[in-house]
Amino acid sequence: MVLDIWKKISKKLVDPVYLLYGTEAFLINETKQLLVDNVLEEEEKDFNFSVYDLEETPIEEALEDAETFPFMGEKRLVILQNPLFLTSEKSKGKIDHQLSKLESYLKQPAPYSILVFSAPYEKLDERKKITKELKRNATVVEAKKLTEQETKAWVRERAVTHGSGIENDAIELLLALAGTNLFMLTSEIDKLALYAGENQLIRKEMVDHLTARSLEQTIFSLVDKVVHKNVEAALRIYYDLLKQNEEPIKILAVLTGQFRLIYQVKELARKGYGQQQIAGTLKIHPYRVKLAAGQAGAFSDEELSRIIMLLADADYQMKTGGMKKEMLIEMILFQMKGR
């Protein structure tokens, strides 16, 4: 798991080759930053830290750097961006990589260098010899969306790095309010830890008081008011969003996405899918599935179909100028009142 690899790096227990791949940019960036912070002293970075874009630089040139003895330090850190040759995609550039040199290097990496492949791709081509060799010889960080439990563990670890603890209820509320985007969560945890102070516990009340609500989570709260037939409260949330200069067309898009998700979760659950399977099928975070599943039971299939049709019609009218944009969503919320 990525958290275990981070703990090792933080203890300065580093490996000679890393492969970071996947579409969760935060996990890739955080791993690279941890390596920079723990491998090199500040004064060594000018001499012993290099970054190469492999769409512009042949691999053999980067390997020459990795094989060069570090200057004024014990380690050299070489980061290789965009190793497209690990995928099935064709390179748009004219760079020919001598991959045999990489194969040789992997068999006997320079003991004083750390080579890091940063591959922001959903899939690697497992049929390729070089992909197999790299996976066999590197420490692999698969940067995919964390599960609900992994996200909670990560939140707890992030608080600990600031010398704080965090209550379980506070973690639950933080995820409900801020969502599961790791960049946003990082900002929120760092702010909460600063507010709580070192050796103090981040409590649920602090999270409620200080956490910025993402648009998606605000819309979730709006839908939740509809679920509980409190349309007046839903309208208040909507008016607050307008005061914050959120565009009605954007609000409508997120609202439509939430109801579509509820419909999909309901349909897949009926087919016997578990929440983790649904998350994998829809390619979304399991926590979003959990929240949508909680709302799905409040709507019949007919109600969901009618609401999605209302939202689709509102989208058409917004784009064709049929009615004032702000009023369209207001009317939909009033129509939901009588569902």
Side-chain angles (χ1 to χ4, degrees), residues 15-20 106 115 117 131-141:
D15 297 315
V17 184
Y18 288 86
L19 169 60
L20 323 177
L106 291 173
L115 198 63
F117 288 85
T131 306
K132 291 175 184 172
E133 286 295 313
L134 186 54
K135 278 195 151 188
R136 188 179 299 121
N137 291 283
T139 296
V140 179
V141 172

Side-chain angles (χ1 to χ4, degrees), residues 146-152 168-169 171-176 180 217 220 223-224 227 258 261-262 264-266 268-269 273-280 282-298:
L146 301 181
T147 65
E148 182 186 346
Q149 290 309 313
E150 287 170 340
T151 304
K152 289 177 180 177
N168 289 335
D169 285 353
I171 295 175
E172 291 281 354
L173 184 60
L174 179 62
L175 294 178
T180 53
Q217 295 311 122
F220 174 83
V223 173
D224 218 44
V227 165
Q258 182 61 28
L261 176 61
I262 291 169
Q264 290 170 319
V265 167
K266 191 179 179 78
L268 290 170
Y273 284 56
Q275 288 188 9
Q276 286 291 340
Q277 282 178 293
I278 294 173
L282 300 180
K283 292 185 168 57
I284 60 171
H285 198 282
Y287 198 73
R288 284 193 64 201
V289 174
K290 180 182 176 182
L291 295 177
Q295 293 178 331

